[in-house]
Amino acid sequence: MPAADAPPTTLTPYLTQAHHHLWSLAEEFTARHVTPRVARMEAAPHRAERTLPRLMAKRGWFGVTLPTEYGGLAAGHVARTVLIHRLSLASAAAGTILQAHLIPAGALLHWGTTEQKTRWLRQVAEGVVLMTIAVTEPEAGGHIGGIETTAEPADGGWRITGEKAHIGNSHLAHLHVVVARTAPPHTRTPASQALTAFLVEADRKGVTISPPRTRLGLHGFTADPPPRLGLHGFTAGRLRLDRVHIPAANILGTIGEGMDVAQSSSILYGRPNLTAVSLGLHEALVSRTTAWLANRPRYGAHLADLPVVRDRLGTMQARLQHARVITYHAVHLLDRGLPCDSDLIAAKHTSHQLAADTARDAMELHGAHALDTHHDLPRLWRDIQHTYAPAGTGEVQRIHLAKTALNTGTVQWSARLAQTLARTRPSPDPAPA
Ligand SMILES: Cc1cc2nc3c(=O)[nH]c(=O)nc-3n(C[C@H](O)[C@H](O)[C@H](O)COP(=O)(O)OP(=O)(O)OC[C@H]3O[C@@H](n4cnc5c(N)ncnc54)[C@H](O)[C@@H]3O)c2cc1C
């Protein structure tokens, strides 16, 4: 039997010695820094957690997938999953802070020019410059082609106007990847060529985050973001762009490639990241419920001794073991440079679904105690609601997966970007016996 905080043997085929080491570092970090902060983060749901990202930055984790030439750890995609998974076991908000930065960092790596990478990527890897990816809009959620934020040519560059919603790390970030419409609607340019991605510095004139950043202002009240249902400590606010002037040098990719930038980042980074958050929450749900059932007295024994309850716990454990395999298998394929878009998509879809089913069982098996807000369980239940929408809702994943089934899929981003993904691959070493 592995030690309680060691990787389960299910994961042995996917983990190198370097991954085992990172796993231990993540355990040590969460025990020392994350777990003690959870109650405080829950008690102040409107606050952006700032200390944890600073501490993660010191360990180089914001550059986990970035090449060493830019100051990254070049540890690969299984490694980033280890970090997000283990952080999320203690606090899904902490795991989400890390994952939200890794999506645009990947976009900059794959789509940035040498000049852009030289200018920003080292600071991005060090966590000195935190990033967001700003695609979603109030009226255009999963429908990227419906983006209304516009970028018009102006003064040798571009002028961007619009509003983005639910932007992860909005209150921490220094650099935003903003996807905007560059082809006017009347030109009838297909959506796949009508959008462009821009690197927008947070301190540019005309950029505001809403609700405003924390400021103990007049009348003593704070203007923090309003609390979300869960993920307390993680912020996902609105980004407003009011005629923001952007130099041509800040275009990420080429004009018309915005949808490719958004979709490749979502498939290669967003989906596996959210899969890992779901897995961390799933493990926490099973372990809390197991402890509860093993200790709750009933008929001279415990709830866990009742066959009906055992059957339910067995189902939860089966889901968890399934979720572990699909989560790590998909990023293992990515690290090996194999085409695996469909595996990344299916893993995100199913990992959330399995964890959400387990969350419902966990709540019911705790009876009325599940409803006490001081209990950990409502936090886990609330947090798992947050892994459904980002990086593609269930419906969006199933649309992609049906294309796989019908063999009508188009791009394989994992294959198309294999060369730059390969630079972030860890050197293989044998897994310990
Ligand atoms: C925790 C969190 C972090 C996030 N971080 C970011 C971020 O960093 N950057 C960013 O840009 N966005 C971010 N988002 C937003 C996220 O990407 C969107 O929520 C997602 O794209 C869905 O958009 P929507 O919520 O507006 O729902 P909608 O797209 O309006 O969908 C509503 C419902 O309709 C269904 N639906 C929509 N279209 C179809 C269709 N064609 N066929 C069938 N059903 C359909 C959906 O599946 C869903 O059930 C984040 C969201 C969350 C919860």
Side-chain angles (χ1 to χ4, degrees):
M1 274 274 281
D5 56 1
T9 46
T10 313
L11 299 184
T12 302
Y14 307 115
L15 303 181
T16 63
Q17 279 169 4
H19 295 136
H20 278 262
H21 180 60
L22 197 60
W23 186 291
S24 311
L25 292 180
E27 293 301 311
E28 197 190 305
F29 181 83
T30 52
R32 192 158 155 221
H33 298 295
V34 183
T35 304
R37 277 189 171 77
V38 169
R40 228 178 312 158
M41 286 158 76
E42 285 304 294
H46 51 292
R47 286 273 155 82
E49 169 59 32
R50 289 169 196 277
T51 307
L52 285 179
R54 196 167 41 75
L55 294 169
M56 288 184 219
K58 271 191 182 168
R59 283 154 182 80
W61 292 352
F62 287 111
V64 61
T65 51
L66 298 177
T68 47
E69 66 194 273
Y70 293 109
L73 298 180
H77 302 283
V78 170
R80 82 167 133 123
T81 291
V82 168
L83 290 177
I84 298 167
H85 165 203
R86 302 317 286 169
L87 285 168
S88 300
L89 173 63
S91 159
T96 310
I97 289 171
L98 177 61
Q99 77 81 26
H101 167 89
L102 295 177
I103 304 170
L108 179 54
L109 173 69
H110 297 301
W111 297 92
T113 60
T114 305
E115 290 73 26
Q116 288 167 344
K117 291 192 226 182
T118 307
R119 180 167 170 206
W120 279 300
L121 213 45
R122 183 166 287 277
Q123 288 176 291
V124 166
E126 289 169 353
V128 174
V129 166
L130 289 184
M131 296 184 73
T132 77
I133 182 139
V135 178
T136 307
E137 298 186 354
E139 301 303 326
H143 178 39
I144 302 181
I147 281 178
E148 288 176 355
T149 295
T150 54
E152 299 165 322
D155 305 328
W158 294 80
R159 193 185 295 126
I160 308 183
T161 301
E163 182 166 327
K164 299 290 179 179
H166 311 296
I167 303 310
N169 284 344
S170 51
H171 288 69
L172 301 178
H174 311 93
L175 185 63
H176 307 284
V177 173
V178 173
V179 177
R181 179 168 295 281
T182 37
H186 65 264
T187 60
R188 295 182 179 274
T189 310
S192 58
Q193 294 157 31
L195 308 173
T196 302
F198 295 87
L199 290 159
V200 178
E201 298 92 335
D203 57 4
R204 268 194 190 272
K205 189 163 174 273
V207 175
T208 49
I209 298 294
S210 169
R213 285 168 190 267
T214 306
R215 199 163 288 136
L216 274 171
L218 291 174
H219 318 300
F221 74 88
T222 61
D224 281 322
R228 305 172 71 81
L229 177 68
L231 295 184
H232 295 161
F234 167 73
T235 56
R238 288 196 177 196
L239 173 67
R240 293 214 171 94
L241 301 123
D242 181 12
R243 298 165 58 82
V244 179
H245 185 264
I246 300 294
N250 281 25
I251 291 172
L252 187 60
T254 58
I255 305 280
E257 276 187 332
M259 189 174 276
D260 288 349
V261 173
Q263 286 188 334
S264 62
S265 314
S266 180
I267 289 176
L268 300 177
Y269 291 90
R271 278 150 169 107
N273 290 355
L274 270 306
T275 308
V277 175
S278 292
L279 180 60
L281 282 164
H282 202 159
E283 274 189 17
L285 285 157
V286 173
S287 88
R288 299 293 192 287
T289 308
T290 305
W292 162 263
L293 297 174
N295 290 297
R296 177 96 172 139
R298 195 59 38 111
Y299 314 137
H302 295 101
L303 278 179
D305 298 305
L306 302 177
V308 174
V309 170
R310 240 170 215 255
D311 181 68
R312 236 170 144 181
L313 184 59
T315 303
M316 291 167 73
Q317 179 65 21
R319 286 191 203 116
L320 175 59
Q321 290 184 208
H322 180 186
R324 277 189 187 130
V325 173
I326 55 174
T327 301
Y328 277 86
H329 184 72
V331 279
H332 175 68
L333 296 178
L334 197 55
D335 268 344
R336 303 196 115 215
L338 296 168
C340 57
D341 288 27
S342 184
D343 302 86
L344 299 167
I345 292 167
K348 195 275 174 177
H349 172 270
T350 306
S351 181
H352 165 83
Q353 202 60 57
L354 294 171
D357 289 349
T358 288
R360 191 198 55 232
D361 281 332
M363 291 293 280
E364 290 174 7
L365 288 169
H366 278 75
H369 298 265
L371 309 174
D372 290 344
T373 50
H374 69 272
H375 205 290
D376 230 9
L377 208 58
R379 170 177 67 86
L380 301 174
W381 183 86
R382 283 187 280 105
D383 286 357
I384 199 65
Q385 311 309 319
H386 291 254
T387 63
Y388 181 75
T393 61
E395 286 77 13
V396 169
Q397 314 297 0
R398 289 193 292 276
I399 289 168
H400 280 289
L401 292 166
K403 284 185 188 162
T404 302
L406 295 164
N407 205 15
T408 54
T410 44
V411 183
Q412 271 281 356
W413 287 111
S414 46
R416 260 183 72 175
L417 299 180
Q419 219 184 345
T420 32
L421 286 166
R423 293 159 65 197
T424 66
R425 242 182 266 162
S427 52
D429 63 17

